[in-house]
Amino acid sequence: LSRRSNHRTTKVTVASGPKLSWKSDPEASFSDWTIKVIYENEMDVYHVHRNIVGYGHRKSEFLLRKFREQVQDIDYESETNVTHLQLSATQARVFPMVLDFMYYTKEAKQTLTAERACNVFKCAELLEIQALQKAIADFYTKNLSLKNMGEFMMAAGQTRADPLLVVSKAKIGQMITEKPELSGLVPPKFMADILLISRKQLDEARAKDPDRYTEDLVKSQSRYWSKAACICAAHNESVLTSRLFEELTSEESLPHIDASVAPKLLAMDVKFHQGSKGEMTSLQRRCIHSITDDFQVFQKGFSSPEACSEALKELPSNVLAEILMKSMSR
């Protein structure tokens, strides 16, 4: 025998009450902690709740330590449930956005710009809110573009938000991977950092998966980035110094040079080492190796065999001799 029963589901609508916020009345909402933000000759006071700012995915590790210190202090006085933060004026202005993040609210009616993002990031560093630091880094990665590249880099530099500079370099590196000609818009120092980051990322990936990241892949990427470095150097030749050029073309970042850009890099290297006598530079040795290893690619960079010969004649005698010797031995 089977028994059938009919159940009717009743939907109950529960009216939602007011959402707890850092703007809530401190007494009515049982606020149990105060943050005093001090900047210049001003002070802003915020009444917060420990079970919000010290708990969950968006908690502040800095404030959490303060809460625990108070619990361990049996003889604490009422003033000890106050945290004083010394911030810059720009950081103080975005502090409500930090509280919004921890409270999952939108009380601060501010649009996130590059400058505000960097100041929020600095507050998140101070308060040790890892989730907010990641959110700002994601904002940088998503929104940095060719048009606002300068604005984003300047904001990160001025606020000393170094992790955001690293994010910027990685994003610009991705853009250059797709369009190497964009490297002409990047300052040489910044480009040198991008090359070094790219190289270290490849080394780390190769250490984890050597079968996938082979030596041929390392050579291919280095040759690709040498083209980007050459474009950057050529576009900034008027302001390029010997030191910047060496950073931009360092062996650590570019162990292999593409033969198509070797003539231009050699010409620039000669300019920075005019009159110097002694052994060849690291860049000269790498360029010589690329030219002799792929002479056909090297020749394609010139309009005619005569133009190629003229370019070779402009090279230092020891560099030219080395190219000829290695070519003959092959």
Side-chain angles (χ1 to χ4, degrees):
L1 295 175
S2 63
R3 180 176 296 174
R4 177 181 294 177
S5 64
N6 296 322
H7 297 282
R8 181 174 293 176
T9 303
T10 302
K11 188 175 182 181
V12 179
T13 303
V14 180
S16 60
K19 190 172 184 179
L20 193 64
S21 164
W22 52 273
K23 274 193 172 182
S24 300
D25 180 85
E27 292 187 11
S29 65
F30 299 99
S31 170
D32 53 3
W33 203 268
T34 301
I35 299 175
K36 294 183 177 180
V37 174
I38 303 165
Y39 58 100
E40 295 179 346
N41 295 320
E42 303 289 334
M43 182 173 70
D44 294 334
V45 180
Y46 300 97
H47 301 285
V48 299
H49 308 80
R50 282 184 285 188
N51 63 335
I52 299 291
V53 299
Y55 177 77
H57 176 62
R58 297 186 177 187
K59 67 178 178 291
S60 162
E61 294 288 351
F62 173 83
L63 290 174
L64 183 58
R65 283 199 304 275
K66 296 297 181 183
F67 303 158
R68 287 171 175 166
E69 288 171 8
Q70 188 207 57
V71 171
Q72 292 169 2
D73 184 5
I74 300 175
D75 301 319
Y76 75 88
E77 300 176 2
S78 60
E79 184 64 18
T80 60
N81 62 346
V82 176
T83 294
H84 296 83
L85 298 177
Q86 189 77 45
L87 302 180
S88 68
T90 51
Q91 290 169 3
R93 281 196 289 270
V94 301
F95 194 76
M97 299 180 78
V98 177
L99 294 175
D100 266 348
F101 181 84
M102 288 193 284
Y103 274 84
Y104 296 83
T105 57
K106 293 183 179 179
E107 299 282 6
K109 307 301 181 183
Q110 299 184 60
T111 303
L112 197 60
T113 61
E115 181 187 5
R116 286 175 184 157
C118 289
N119 283 293
V120 168
F121 186 87
K122 293 301 289 184
C123 291
E125 275 189 327
L126 176 64
L127 293 173
E128 299 173 37
I129 309 172
Q130 293 183 0
L132 182 52
Q133 292 179 59
K134 183 180 183 303
I136 295 299
D138 290 344
F139 168 82
Y140 245 65
T141 300
K142 182 180 179 180
N143 292 281
L144 188 148
S145 66
L146 184 61
K147 291 183 178 179
N148 63 27
M149 181 173 65
E151 176 192 352
F152 273 59
M153 289 191 299
M154 183 180 296
Q158 289 178 341
T159 56
R160 297 183 179 179
D162 294 340
L164 295 183
L165 276 175
V166 173
V167 169
S168 300
K169 292 167 186 174
K171 176 64 180 291
I172 295 169
Q174 291 175 1
M175 292 192 293
I176 292 173
T177 299
E178 298 169 4
K179 295 183 178 180
E181 61 271 17
L182 296 181
S183 56
L185 305 175
V186 181
K189 174 59 180 172
F190 208 79
M191 186 66 193
D193 291 340
I194 291 173
L195 294 175
L196 193 56
I197 290 171
S198 176
R199 173 64 184 178
K200 287 181 177 179
Q201 288 176 339
L202 182 59
D203 287 342
E204 290 172 2
R206 193 181 184 196
K208 293 178 182 178
D209 192 354
D211 292 332
R212 180 181 178 185
Y213 295 91
T214 62
E215 180 62 24
D216 286 340
L217 183 62
V218 172
K219 289 181 180 179
S220 176
Q221 177 164 311
S222 179
R223 286 169 179 161
Y224 179 91
W225 282 111
S226 71
K227 295 179 183 178
C230 185
I231 293 171
C232 179
H235 276 74
N236 295 279
E237 195 167 359
S238 60
V239 296
L240 203 61
T241 63
S242 176
R243 181 176 177 179
L244 267 179
F245 182 70
E246 288 177 4
E247 289 182 17
L248 192 60
T249 59
S250 71
E251 188 168 2
E252 184 179 7
S253 300
L254 302 174
H256 305 279
I257 304 295
D258 193 89
S260 64
V261 297
K264 179 62 177 176
L265 291 177
L266 279 172
M268 296 182 74
D269 188 78
V270 168
K271 186 183 76 171
F272 288 119
H273 295 90
Q274 281 182 347
S276 60
K277 296 180 180 179
E279 62 180 35
M280 286 183 287
T281 65
S282 169
L283 178 59
Q284 288 174 345
R285 289 195 299 270
R286 282 174 283 144
C287 286
I288 289 170
H289 180 79
S290 70
I291 291 171
T292 55
D293 197 45
D294 201 345
F295 196 75
Q296 286 186 339
V297 173
F298 172 74
Q299 283 182 310
K300 286 180 181 178
F302 300 94
S303 57
S304 65
E306 292 74 20
C308 178
S309 298
E310 288 299 318
L312 288 171
K313 290 178 184 178
E314 296 296 323
L315 298 177
S317 56
N318 59 337
V319 173
L320 178 57
E322 190 71 16
I323 292 173
L324 294 173
M325 286 179 58
K326 287 185 177 293
S327 299
M328 292 173 64
S329 64
R330 288 180 178 272

